[in-house]
Amino acid sequence: MGLPLPVTTKDARALILNLQGLGQSHRRRLSDGDLMDLIRQMGFVQVDSINMLERAHQMILSSRATGYRPKQLQRLLEKQRALFENWTHDAAIIPSDFFPYWMQRFENRRAALADRYSRWHGPEFLNETESVIAHIEANGPILSRDLSPDERKGPGAWWNWHPSKTALEYLWRTGALAVARREGFQKVYDLTHRVIPEPHRETPAEHADLVDWSCRSALERLGFGTPGEIAGFWDHITADEAKAWCEANLGRAVIQASVDQTTGRPRLLYARPDLEAALNQVESPPPGLRILNPFDPVLRDRKRLQGLFGFSYRIEVFVPAPQRTYGYYVFPILEGDRLIGRIDMKADRPADSLQITAVWPEPGISFGKGRMRRLEGELDRQKNFGGLSTLRFEDGWLREPIVAN
């Protein structure tokens, strides 16, 4: 076994951005086929309910191609059925030909999900599953409110699920139902065989195949990682299973790499076998500036993000307002291969404007004329993508950097 391949943080960042679709200029158009290739390259696109400008999945894709349009994703999901919606570490949009691996996941997690949902929402939902399936089979796709017209509305409704709503979510998370489409942001459920194309649901993967695919495909998209990072990419398997697979395949499907860190000494990590060739082929990321959604896959693993980009980040949605460092929902700013700051912005629909509350440069970063011009160009793009007419900057919006304690 040879020595671990040394990797600088600069090379590591360039590779990661390239693997996750941020390594080329985002000023480009996408055909539907290009969009499908992009999502396959990334692996999945996370879905989240928060909508400060556009929803997470729309912003993630737009940050990679300014020519992206939401109707393209809708066609791939709802018309062509080339994509489906289920869970990785969270709700996500996933290529449909990956579905056999989710079929095995459904089996692996059925009992644990039944126990979890029983603890969260009460065990009564288990008595509703057969009647829910029968109702959908007879009446077609439904929303949760179709099963309970008196469902309580309001901010706390999510935490007050009725048994039928819980049954719907459980049946979706375990594969009996699939999301046929969304109305607004509400899921419309249907029987899985009506949504997922037949070739993709004929034969579930065996668990050993799930482990092998999960590790290989994660390393293709991560480049390198710890067993926890590899297992966590799809969230199908445990870190112990990923470590055992890596050790068993070391020197063939896996090599070791020593990856420099901004936080200290290098980390010894498992890596894809063609890592050296991949690093040699990757060009420096484009110098342009782009705003990333908080759920962007490059930001997902906070420890990895800190080690490679020197950027400490958390979403402060659930942090009480007086205790927030930045704001409720703050977007990181990427320039080249560096995260240079963060921005608090949101759509003000009644005023038809994108409101910029604050921009915080990272320590050591200044916003001179050139960078300010690039920021305004990116904000103009965000404004247009959100269907807004104007930009509105609050007084004192350009703040001083915040130095971590």
Side-chain angles (χ1 to χ4, degrees):
M1 192 68 61
L3 293 174
L5 179 69
V7 181
T8 66
T9 52
K10 186 173 183 62
D11 286 346
R13 290 196 298 265
L15 178 66
I16 290 165
L17 293 173
N18 182 70
L19 293 176
Q20 282 298 313
L22 290 168
Q24 59 180 292
S25 172
H26 59 315
R27 299 190 180 283
R28 58 190 173 114
R29 294 190 176 276
L30 288 181
S31 67
D32 287 2
D34 294 335
L35 176 60
M36 190 67 211
D37 289 344
L38 174 61
I39 295 172
R40 184 178 298 281
Q41 174 186 342
M42 296 167 64
F44 59 87
V45 181
Q46 186 171 339
V47 176
D48 189 77
S49 61
I50 298 174
N51 187 356
M52 302 302 287
L53 176 62
E54 291 288 344
R55 299 203 189 272
H57 52 291
Q58 306 293 6
M59 295 191 71
I60 289 168
L61 294 171
S62 174
S63 69
R64 285 151 174 83
T66 57
Y68 164 74
R69 295 294 179 265
K71 64 183 180 182
Q72 295 179 276
L73 185 65
Q74 185 178 18
R75 278 197 298 268
L76 291 172
L77 267 168
E78 299 178 10
K79 304 297 183 184
Q80 300 179 30
R81 300 299 187 194
L83 300 165
F84 74 101
E85 187 177 333
N86 208 273
W87 275 61
T88 54
H89 67 293
D90 210 320
I93 293 166
I94 307 153
S96 293
D97 56 332
F98 295 173
F99 192 73
Y101 301 104
W102 265 257
M103 294 173 73
Q104 179 61 45
R105 175 192 178 110
F106 298 148
E107 291 302 315
N108 291 347
R109 304 208 174 183
R110 193 178 308 278
L113 281 168
D115 179 66
R116 185 185 306 171
Y117 277 38
S118 292
R119 286 186 282 107
W120 285 355
H121 305 296
E124 297 83 4
F125 79 93
L126 289 169
N127 299 323
E128 300 281 337
T129 55
E130 290 186 9
S131 61
V132 166
I133 290 174
H135 179 91
I136 295 173
E137 188 167 18
N139 298 284
I142 61 168
L143 295 96
S144 65
R145 66 170 178 259
D146 296 332
L147 293 180
S148 182
D150 297 325
E151 181 183 3
R152 186 175 72 82
K153 303 297 189 294
W158 177 263
W159 305 109
N160 292 275
W161 287 8
H162 53 77
S164 294
K165 176 181 174 68
T166 307
L168 281 170
E169 285 287 301
Y170 171 76
L171 291 167
W172 172 54
R173 293 285 302 274
T174 54
L177 300 180
V179 175
R181 63 183 186 279
R182 284 185 182 255
E183 292 184 5
F185 197 66
Q186 298 299 305
K187 292 191 287 290
V188 179
Y189 302 87
D190 200 354
L191 302 177
T192 295
H193 74 264
R194 294 174 179 169
V195 177
I196 305 298
E198 184 175 2
H200 305 319
R201 54 180 170 77
E202 287 179 344
T203 308
E206 298 292 336
H207 186 72
D209 294 332
L210 176 68
V211 173
D212 183 75
W213 179 83
S214 295
C215 293
R216 289 178 189 270
S217 60
L219 279 174
E220 286 176 8
R221 293 163 175 84
L222 291 170
F224 47 80
T226 66
E229 290 167 357
I230 294 166
F233 185 85
W234 300 108
D235 194 30
H236 285 324
I237 62 175
T238 67
D240 286 343
E241 287 174 315
K243 183 176 182 179
W245 182 91
C246 288
E247 289 294 324
N249 287 278
L250 202 57
R252 299 186 301 278
V254 184
I255 65 170
Q256 289 187 314
S258 176
V259 183
D260 289 345
Q261 304 289 301
T262 65
T263 50
R265 50 189 300 188
R267 297 175 81 193
L268 183 63
L269 303 172
Y270 296 108
R272 49 190 280 178
D274 63 343
L275 179 63
E276 186 171 15
L279 289 168
N280 289 335
Q281 292 169 8
V282 170
E283 297 181 359
S284 297
L289 186 151
R290 64 185 102 187
I291 293 169
L292 301 183
N293 184 271
F295 294 100
D296 193 286
V298 169
L299 308 172
R300 173 186 164 194
D301 189 312
R302 304 293 193 251
K303 181 177 180 181
R304 182 178 166 98
L305 181 72
Q306 177 79 55
L308 295 174
F309 289 85
F311 190 76
S312 178
Y313 182 68
R314 68 171 177 169
I315 299 174
E316 297 183 291
V317 168
F318 298 110
V319 177
Q323 299 173 26
R324 291 175 188 147
T325 303
Y326 295 99
Y328 174 79
Y329 195 81
V330 171
F331 301 81
I333 304 171
L334 177 70
E335 183 181 55
D337 69 348
R338 295 191 300 169
L339 288 156
I340 62 164
R342 52 202 95 198
I343 181 169
D344 185 352
M345 65 180 191
K346 65 179 180 180
D348 184 342
R349 298 292 174 185
D352 193 22
S353 68
L354 178 60
Q355 174 182 318
I356 294 87
T357 300
V359 170
W360 295 269
E362 284 293 279
I365 297 292
S366 62
F367 275 70
K369 290 182 179 179
R371 185 167 281 143
M372 194 68 74
R373 188 164 52 248
R374 292 192 291 275
L375 175 62
E376 289 174 355
E378 172 66 357
L379 288 171
D380 195 59
R381 187 186 74 81
Q382 295 286 347
K383 174 203 71 178
N384 293 337
F385 186 67
L388 302 166
S389 297
T390 62
L391 298 174
R392 188 174 81 247
F393 294 84
E394 291 193 5
D395 292 342
W397 63 272
L398 185 57
R399 307 290 179 84
E400 292 295 321
I402 295 177
V403 180
N405 295 327

